[in-house]
Every structure is written in structure tokens, then in C-alpha cells.
Amino acid sequence: MDLLSSLLFFTEAVGVVAFCISGASVAIEKDLDLFGIIVLGVTTATGGGVIRDLLLGVPPPAMFQNPIYAQMAFFTALLMFCLGRFGTPTLKRHKALFQAAVEVCDAVGLGVFAVTGVYAAQVAGYRDNGFLAIFVGVVTGIGGGVLRDIMAGEIPFVLNKRIYALAALMGAMCYYWVDQGGHSGAMFWGILLTVLIRVLAEHYGWQLPKAHPRAKKKEEGA
């Protein structure tokens, strides 16, 4: 395995674990059982990649060609189940810290998959098609979370909470332009920009404008 392949594997592994933690946390909050926690965690971690490969016409999706990512997600979800079952008192005492950690994990997963989605489109032969590459990157980043929310019976987070898809878009564009310019560290800068936008949006409560300002006031008063 060459350096680039090793770096890509490590980057995607971080994204898989981060997104799985996010998905499993939602499952625990919804009081799902062990199977539900594993399914939601694995789906969140690998769903975006499956959608990416379907868009790019990769048969079968990488998740099934190399099950290492699904295995990582499975064991991460299992650990989250154990944490939820046996560490409940600790989680309650440090609820704010745990929620912040989950938000950071979700931001990292979003950045990783937005960038690697663009990279996958480039490798598939679409390096010069910026629109397609960036679109695939955004879908890869948000796909797992959308599936997670639908399965959990929620309006997808990406549609009505904070700045999410926009962060993935900015990160994907950053990676594409830096890479096209021949500069090094394109993946790092794309991921960093996505994470920064998401973390800052969550911390400061940034929202895109809504059609009904009253809905915003209601949220702020909640």
C-alpha cells in the first residue's frame, strides 16, 4: 500500500468511526435496542459512500468490495451500545461534554466524506467535471446523515438545522480548487474548512434564513 492509499484509508477510517458515533448516539437517544444501534451506526457511517458509488456507477459499492469499513462501524456501534448501557450515569453527569464530542465527530465525518467523495469522482475519471465531482462530494458527506434521520423518524438534519450541507459544499469546493491548482494538502484544507464551519455554526447558532421568521423565534425561545 503506497503513501497516498494509506493516507486515504486512514482518512476514511476516521470518517467511518466519527459518523458511526454520531449515528449510534442518535439511536441511543431514541432508545433503540442493540440491533437498532448497530444498524443506525453502520448506515450513518457507510450510507454516503454507497450513494457515492451508485452515482459513479461502481458495482458493487466499495462497502461490499472491502468490508473493513463496515466492520469498523460495527465494532464502534457495539462500543457505543456498551457505553450507553453501562455508562449512563457518567453520560448524564457529562451530558454537555458528550453532546459536544458527538457534534465534533459528526463535523469530522462530514468533512472527511465530502472531500473523499470528490476524490472518488476524480479517480473515476471526472477530474475536469467540477460540478459532478463537488456534487458527489456533498452527497457523500450528507448521505449517511440523511439516511440516519429518516430511519430515526426525523426530518433530515441537513434540511432544517444549522449550516450543514453548506459546510460540506465549502469543504468539497476548497479541496477541488486547491487540488486543481496543484497545491499540496488539499484534503487537509477541505476537511479543516468543513469542520470549522460546522463547529462555529453549532457554537454560534448560525442558521440559513427561513421563509417564516416566527419559526426561528420559536426555536430560539425553546
Side-chain angles (χ1 to χ4, degrees), residues 33-50:
D33 62 13
L34 172 61
F35 182 75
I37 292 171
I38 291 174
V39 168
L40 215 59
V42 173
T43 299
T44 307
T46 61
V50 171

Side-chain angles (χ1 to χ4, degrees), residues 42-112:
V42 173
T43 299
T44 307
T46 61
V50 171
I51 297 172
R52 171 200 67 203
D53 293 340
L54 292 175
L55 283 172
L56 295 175
V58 178
M63 169 188 170
F64 302 104
Q65 294 186 45
N66 184 7
I68 185 65
Y69 296 117
Q71 292 167 358
M72 286 181 185
F74 173 83
F75 286 111
T76 301
L78 201 57
L79 287 173
M80 289 298 294
F81 168 79
C82 293
L83 181 63
R85 184 170 179 82
F86 304 110
T88 301
T90 302
L91 291 180
K92 286 182 177 178
R93 284 199 304 270
H94 304 284
K95 184 177 180 180
L97 181 62
F98 178 72
Q99 288 180 335
V102 170
E103 292 292 345
V104 170
C105 286
D106 189 71
V108 170
L110 181 67
V112 165

Side-chain angles (χ1 to χ4, degrees), residues 98-153:
F98 178 72
Q99 288 180 335
V102 170
E103 292 292 345
V104 170
C105 286
D106 189 71
V108 170
L110 181 67
V112 165
F113 284 114
V115 165
T116 56
V118 177
Y119 175 79
Q122 292 174 325
V123 171
Y126 303 103
R127 176 171 292 275
D128 296 326
N129 189 336
F131 176 75
L132 174 62
I134 292 170
F135 177 81
V136 170
V138 174
V139 170
T140 306
I142 69 174
V146 170
L147 293 175
R148 172 199 65 203
D149 295 340
I150 291 173
M151 293 174 70

Side-chain angles (χ1 to χ4, degrees), residues 1-14:
M1 185 181 287
D2 58 29
L3 181 60
L4 180 59
S5 298
S6 299
L7 178 62
L8 184 62
F9 174 79
F10 174 76
T11 303
E12 289 192 323
V14 169

Side-chain angles (χ1 to χ4, degrees), residues 168-184:
L169 176 62
M170 293 296 102
M173 291 172 65
C174 174
Y175 165 73
Y176 183 79
W177 287 333
V178 172
D179 183 69
Q180 287 292 98
H183 304 293
S184 60

